Amino acid sequence: PALCLLRLAGVRLAYLEACEQLLSPWVARQFTYIPDLPMDCAPGSAPSAAPSGLKRVLLAGYIDDRKNYRALCCALASICANHPELTVELSVVGGRSAPAADFFKRFSPPANLLLRELSGRVSSAEFAAEVERCDIVWAYYSDHLGSSGMFLNAIAAQKYVLFRPLGVLSGFQRELNIQAGAPDGSAAAIEAALLEAVSSPAPQYALPARDRFLARRTASRFLDALLPS
């Protein structure tokens, strides 16, 4: 009833990305689709090349339980302990909740899991540089049904992305035809996906599919959908 009243009052309803994956077909038709888009920001400086054999994983943004940082750290610690031939660097970038800050103070990774921390807010240019610097972006959220800037920026930077295919991200997965890097919520599945990513992963998506995906999500299309003529 509330949606009907809003429409009758001439209120235009919009939803960021494909709401039909979250709502009933009738409700979804009441909304205008608006594409999300990656950050349009060049890195502040050229990223340094990783030493041979080193894989760089990025955990960025405001770090709290929603980001599943415990699952990531426990899986990487297990992988590195069981595979001494691997060397992984985990960059933890951004502000964090009190429990997350306490966790990282106490976290004692194996010698071949290198922990790199940049605490506090970072600029857009610094964030872009961190995405460019890494090999793998962690965008694995608990019960997250909407779009994800981390996912979009990973695809724009042509990075491997680990995510949980729920809601809008399941639609992204279909658009890009991603088969790997999208485990279910179990610890074993997360560890297996991370091991595949840090070992020698095959390309996660084809470049033509990536190009089509990004072509649908440009600033001009965003503005056209948000402010139709």
Side-chain angles (χ1 to χ4, degrees):
L3 290 178
C4 293
L5 289 173
L6 288 170
R7 291 299 298 268
L8 288 171
V11 176
R12 181 169 171 266
L13 305 174
Y15 196 95
L16 192 63
E17 282 299 336
C19 65
E20 66 269 12
Q21 297 175 48
L22 312 178
L23 307 172
S24 71
W26 183 88
V27 173
R29 286 195 296 272
Q30 311 311 307
F31 288 83
T32 298
Y33 164 80
I34 295 180
D36 201 356
L37 65 160
M39 184 184 299
D40 183 18
C41 182
S45 59
S48 58
S52 177
L54 176 68
K55 287 293 182 180
R56 291 170 165 172
V57 180
L58 176 64
L59 168 64
Y62 184 73
I63 307 198
D64 58 9
D65 286 347
R66 186 179 60 92
K67 293 271 188 178
N68 275 308
Y69 59 88
R70 292 183 182 89
L72 170 62
C73 292
C74 291
L76 286 178
S78 176
I79 289 167
C80 289
N82 292 316
H83 297 272
E85 74 280 5
L86 295 175
T87 303
V88 179
E89 178 189 83
L90 172 60
S91 291
V92 183
V93 177
R96 57 201 69 181
S97 66
D102 185 62
F103 174 88
F104 283 105
K105 283 179 184 176
R106 298 171 183 271
F107 183 49
S108 181
N112 55 332
L113 175 54
L114 314 176
L115 184 61
R116 173 177 170 267
E117 296 186 77
L118 281 74
S119 299
R121 293 181 64 87
V122 296
S123 68
S124 296
E126 288 170 324
F127 170 76
E130 291 297 327
V131 175
E132 288 291 339
R133 184 180 184 278
C134 76
D135 303 295
I136 301 156
V137 173
W138 178 258
Y140 195 92
Y141 307 129
S142 297
D143 304 321
H144 180 77
L145 299 177
S147 185
S148 165
M150 287 302 304
F151 184 101
L152 289 165
N153 284 297
I155 300 302
Q158 205 172 316
K159 304 297 180 178
Y160 199 99
V161 56
L162 277 153
F163 66 101
R164 191 171 186 186
L166 298 174
V168 168
L169 294 188
S170 67
F172 288 175
Q173 180 188 28
R174 287 192 294 273
E175 276 192 69
L176 291 159
N177 193 28
I178 292 176
Q179 304 300 321
D184 62 31
S186 69
I190 290 171
E191 184 170 332
L194 273 166
L195 177 58
E196 180 180 4
V198 301
S199 299
S200 53
Q204 194 183 24
Y205 41 84
L207 290 184
R210 168 190 171 272
D211 293 343
R212 289 192 297 271
F213 178 86
L214 294 175
R216 298 185 189 105
R217 293 166 175 87
T218 62
S220 61
R221 289 198 171 198
F222 176 85
L223 291 173
D224 287 345
L226 185 65
L227 304 169
S229 54

